[in-house]
Amino acid sequence: MLRDLLLLLIVISGGAYGFWLMKGVDRFLERSRGDRTDENSEKQQKCAVIFSSREEPELEKWFSNAGFRVLSVTEIHLQKGWEDAGYLVALSDSDVDNLSICNLMKRTCPQSAIYSLCNDRSLKKLYRKTGASVVYDRDELIQRMELITLEHEMGAA
């Protein structure tokens, strides 16, 4: 009988030790999952695509301050990270390039807001078909983007 009691105590203490050990493993896994979700939330951060033949540091700064990851693009092709694009700003001097990137963005990211510079007013109808908000003056587009980023910042606050 004493032998059975000692055996029972050994089994219970082994089970308690195993439970304590697994609880530590669970805490470790939870912490590592928490780190991964932080990384995933950074990856899932919305981005703003700026299509232009020259750098736009002012625009990049506004989008960065509003919490967007900024992708500056000079060529018309899909790039990694476009699937979560919130905005496209097309500032090229070529209407063909602007229309092409607007079409590409409309097909790959239909939820994104598209803003474009229209150099030839007769092409306004084509821009509208791509879903782009059209502006005829570069400075006006820059001012509009400043207002949009300020609205986004205020909405996030």
Side-chain angles (χ1 to χ4, degrees):
M1 178 133 154
L2 185 59
R3 184 177 47 165
D4 292 338
L5 186 61
L6 283 175
L7 187 59
L8 181 65
L9 283 175
I10 290 173
V11 169
I12 289 175
S13 62
Y17 178 71
F19 181 72
W20 176 80
L21 192 62
M22 288 309 295
K23 197 172 182 182
V25 169
D26 286 341
R27 271 189 249 122
F28 171 75
L29 290 175
E30 224 174 273
R31 273 186 263 137
S32 68
R33 281 188 204 124
D35 293 343
R36 279 194 218 131
T37 55
D38 291 343
E39 290 171 4
N40 288 341
S41 65
E42 288 176 14
K43 287 180 185 175
Q44 292 176 358
Q45 178 186 23
K46 287 279 188 182
C47 74
V49 179
I50 300 172
F51 176 73
S52 181
S53 55
R54 58 183 177 203
E55 285 194 26
E56 300 291 338
E58 197 174 16
L59 204 53
E60 289 178 21
K61 181 181 169 191
W62 291 331
F63 277 118
S64 294
N65 290 342
F68 286 90
R69 197 170 30 99
V70 180
L71 296 173
S72 294
V73 182
T74 57
E75 297 176 3
I76 304 167
H77 58 81
L78 279 176
Q79 291 188 0
K80 189 175 182 179
W82 278 28
E83 61 274 355
D84 57 344
Y87 291 97
L88 166 70
V89 183
L91 292 168
S92 173
D93 295 328
S94 168
D95 281 319
V96 173
D97 290 346
N98 285 344
L99 281 167
S100 297
I101 195 111
C102 290
N103 252 338
L104 183 63
M105 185 61 83
K106 178 185 175 188
R107 293 175 195 277
T108 57
C109 303
Q111 78 282 0
S112 64
I114 302 172
Y115 298 90
S116 182
L117 178 65
C118 179
N119 299 302
D120 184 3
R121 291 180 187 261
S122 64
L123 298 174
K124 180 180 179 179
K125 194 172 186 179
L126 293 174
Y127 280 100
R128 296 286 175 171
K129 284 185 179 180
T130 65
S133 297
V134 180
V135 177
Y136 301 106
D137 183 35
R138 185 182 191 85
D139 294 331
E140 183 184 343
L141 182 61
I142 298 287
Q143 289 173 354
R144 184 179 287 187
M145 295 316 301
E146 180 182 18
L147 290 174
I148 288 170
T149 55
L150 285 174
E151 287 174 8
H152 184 77
E153 283 178 6
M154 293 176 78

